[in-house]
């Protein structure tokens, strides 16, 4: 792709290097524009985790998991996943390390981590880059699909590996 | 809604920290978060500069238009309000294929570029259009064929079958994406055509829609002309912050 695109364009008489620089300049501005958005979001998420608020919230939902016989160790991952990509990856690694990659917990954690993206990050970066402040229903849709993906990952794993 | 979630995070953190006596950790975490926000953005610079440079060549070379034409039917279903042959469609296509192939660092610049193209069609620069919400929904649930990072981690911890989660991941991601598309459709339908006729479809130039958003601030209203005429610079990029 890195070779094909410039070759094709050169064939069509596009001044490739100048065009590259022109587009690249946009990339820099865009990345800089994202900084305030990302800082604002990451501060809130980092505080949320460090204060123990997330643990409190997850202990409220835990009984529901016990009731359905789902390993509740994966619950914090479900809450972490939409908020922070790096954080949830670290948590998944932790679970895999402690319970083994081929345990049910390890498999469910891997599936959850792999099946959705970090909603809040995507929203912040994509909308931040163009200066959208009113995101309308986008966040609701993202979080809803995370929830569905989370439940689906658990059900599918219990079904396939159970 | 983002406002409320943000406020909730901060207030809940404060209350929880007060209860558990982690006030000091809270302050520290706030600055840690700020630092990692900047680190991530800076990390994005190299990726963005490289890919957007390359994609500009693809755009000028006419590749993007061809790509957009090829997948017209699927994308037209998902994005009925983007005019035919608009460059945004090409970027959306690139973004989707990069996601599917698991090229995360290529998907983000394409997605952002697609957003910027969609922003040119947007009459109210600070409010998301339905097309933008759809693009976001596709990206938050991101279909991934092979979760390479996870397979690598599983190998590190000596899994007997590191790739056994590929099937379950694909199934779960398909369910999540279907849910995202359905929810997006539902909200689109429920919100109806906005007052400023966002659902052009027929017109192939954003200028056709002259109706101004009622709630637009003077700044974003004035942005319509130049942004529509602009030829690839980040429309309204950063202007949102200036208003905040």
């Amino acid at each position: 792709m890195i070779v094909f695109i410039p070759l094709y364009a050169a064939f069509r008489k596009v001044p490739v290097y100048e065009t590259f620089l022109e587009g690249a300049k946009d990339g820099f501005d865009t990345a800089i524009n994202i900084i305030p958005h990302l800082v604002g979001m990451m501060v809130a998420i980092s505080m949320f985790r460090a204060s123990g608020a997330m643990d409190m919230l997850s202990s409220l939902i835990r009984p529901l998991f016990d009731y359905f016989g789902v390993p509740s160790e994966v619950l914090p991952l479900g809450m972490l996943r939409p908020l922070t990509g790096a954080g949830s990856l670290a948590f998944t690694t932790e679970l895999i390390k402690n319970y083994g990659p081929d345990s049910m917990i390890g498999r469910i954690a891997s599936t959850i981590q792999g099946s959705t993206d970090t909603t809040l990050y995507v929203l912040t970066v994509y909308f931040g880059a163009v200066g959208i402040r009113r995101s309308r229903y986008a966040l609701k849709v993202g979080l809803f699909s995370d929830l569905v993906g989370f439940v689906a990952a658990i059900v599918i794993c219990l079904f396939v590996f159970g | 809604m983002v406002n409320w979630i943000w406020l909730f995070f901060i207030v809940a953190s404060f209350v929880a920290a007060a209860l558990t006596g982690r006030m000091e950790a809270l302050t520290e975490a706030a600055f840690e978060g700020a630092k990692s926000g900047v680190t991530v953005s800076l990390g994005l610079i190299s990726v963005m500069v490289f890919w957007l440079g390359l994609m500009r060549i693809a755009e000028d070379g006419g590749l993007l238009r061809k790509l957009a034409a090829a997948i017209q039917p699927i994308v037209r279903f998902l994005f009925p309000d983007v005019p035919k042959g608009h460059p945004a469609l090409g970027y959306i296509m690139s973004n989707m294929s990069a996601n599917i192939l698991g090229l995360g660092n290529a998907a983000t610049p394409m997605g952002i570029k697609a957003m910027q193209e969609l922003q040119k069609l947007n009459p109210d620069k600070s409010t998301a259009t339905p097309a933008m919400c759809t693009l976001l929904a596709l990206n938050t649930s991101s279909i991934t064929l092979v979760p390479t990072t996870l397979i690598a981690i599983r190998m590190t911890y000596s899994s007997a079958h590191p790739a056994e989660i590929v099937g379950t991941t694909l199934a779960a991601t398909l369910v999540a994406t279907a849910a995202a598309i359905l929810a997006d459709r539902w909200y689109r339908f429920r919100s109806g055509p906005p007052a400023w006729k966002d659902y052009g479809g027929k017109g192939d130039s954003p200028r056709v829609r002259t109706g101004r958003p009622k709630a637009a601030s003077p700044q974003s209203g004035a942005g319509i002309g130049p942004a529509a005429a602009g030829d690839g610079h980040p429309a309204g990029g950063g202007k949102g912050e200036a208003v905040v």
Side-chain angles (χ1 to χ4, degrees):
Chain A
M1 205 169 164
I2 297 171
V3 182
F4 173 72
I5 293 176
L7 260 183
Y8 181 90
F11 185 69
R12 301 278 303 262
K13 299 200 174 63
V14 172
V16 277
Y17 187 62
E18 282 155 40
T19 314
F20 176 85
L21 290 183
E22 219 173 281
K25 218 166 48 195
D26 281 358
F28 186 78
D29 294 342
T30 310
I32 297 297
N33 279 337
I34 295 169
I35 293 181
H37 297 261
L38 220 47
V39 167
M41 230 7 130
M42 292 225 168
V43 164
I45 291 166
S46 172
M47 284 169 73
F48 193 61
R49 288 187 65 191
S51 67
M54 206 182 72
D55 301 331
M56 289 179 189
L57 201 62
S58 77
S59 68
L60 285 178
I61 315 177
R62 187 147 289 153
L64 193 73
F65 273 61
D66 296 338
Y67 179 80
F68 285 107
V70 177
S72 57
E73 284 83 353
V74 299
L75 174 59
L77 182 59
M79 300 173 61
L80 221 48
R81 190 70 194 90
L83 305 181
T84 134
S88 68
L89 186 64
F91 194 82
T92 304
T93 314
E94 205 55 29
L95 286 180
I96 289 177
K97 195 171 91 188
N98 293 338
Y99 297 95
D102 299 324
S103 65
M104 185 56 85
I105 293 175
R107 286 158 166 167
I108 294 180
S110 309
T111 305
I112 293 171
Q113 177 69 27
S115 62
T116 61
D117 211 329
T118 315
T119 296
L120 230 56
Y121 171 79
V122 173
L123 182 102
T124 308
V125 168
Y126 280 33
F127 280 176
V130 292
I132 293 285
R133 283 181 295 125
R134 281 183 292 276
S135 57
R136 304 205 12 215
Y137 50 81
L139 185 59
K140 277 184 234 170
V141 171
L143 291 179
F144 171 72
S145 93
D146 285 336
L147 181 67
V148 172
F150 177 65
V151 174
I154 292 174
V155 172
I156 291 167
C157 279
L158 288 177
F159 184 73
V160 173
F161 301 121
Chain B
M1 190 176 173
V2 180
N3 284 324
W4 289 111
I5 292 211
W6 199 73
L7 194 66
F8 168 76
F9 277 157
I10 290 187
V11 174
S13 304
F14 180 79
V15 173
L19 288 176
T20 53
R22 294 194 209 169
M23 249 3 194
E24 223 164 280
L26 187 72
T27 324
E28 206 173 292
F31 287 106
E32 264 323 297
K35 211 198 266 171
S36 68
V38 174
T39 315
V40 172
S41 308
L42 291 182
L44 269 176
I45 294 182
S46 56
V47 182
M48 294 285 302
V49 166
F50 175 71
W51 279 106
L52 287 192
L54 202 62
M55 289 315 281
R56 177 62 71 88
I57 299 178
E59 192 185 346
D60 281 9
L63 262 178
L64 227 49
R65 234 170 301 127
K66 281 199 171 153
L67 211 62
I71 47 126
Q72 197 85 305
I74 313 170
V75 177
R76 279 216 77 70
F77 166 75
L78 288 172
F79 299 90
D81 36 7
V82 179
K84 235 179 177 169
H86 193 272
L89 296 177
Y91 284 111
I92 290 171
M93 163 71 193
S94 319
N95 167 258
M96 280 163 73
S97 30
N99 264 327
I100 291 172
L101 297 175
L103 304 170
N105 74 345
T108 309
M110 317 276 191
I112 290 175
K113 192 69 203 175
M115 274 299 173
Q116 289 173 345
E117 290 296 332
L118 292 176
Q119 179 75 319
K120 289 182 196 164
L121 297 173
N122 189 358
D124 176 6
K125 299 297 175 207
S126 60
T127 304
T129 60
M132 289 173 157
C133 292
T134 307
L135 180 62
L136 207 76
L138 287 175
N139 273 284
T140 56
S141 59
S142 86
I143 297 183
T144 310
L145 280 184
V146 185
T148 40
T149 319
L150 278 160
I151 295 178
I153 291 176
R154 291 168 62 80
M155 279 165 85
T156 313
Y157 292 100
S158 51
S159 163
H161 308 283
E164 69 177 355
I165 47 108
V166 169
T168 52
T169 304
L170 189 59
T173 195
L174 283 177
V175 172
T177 305
I181 293 175
L182 280 177
D184 177 63
R185 281 277 131 157
W186 188 69
Y187 275 114
R188 238 182 215 250
F189 175 76
R190 210 187 60 160
S191 61
W196 56 89
K197 287 269 185 288
D198 193 23
Y199 277 63
K202 275 169 243 156
D204 55 356
S205 153
R207 289 205 197 168
V208 174
R209 284 156 231 152
T210 44
R212 282 201 180 183
K214 279 175 201 159
S217 63
Q219 255 165 302
S220 55
I224 293 179
D231 64 336
H233 293 284
K239 286 186 186 109
E241 292 99 284
V243 191
V244 175

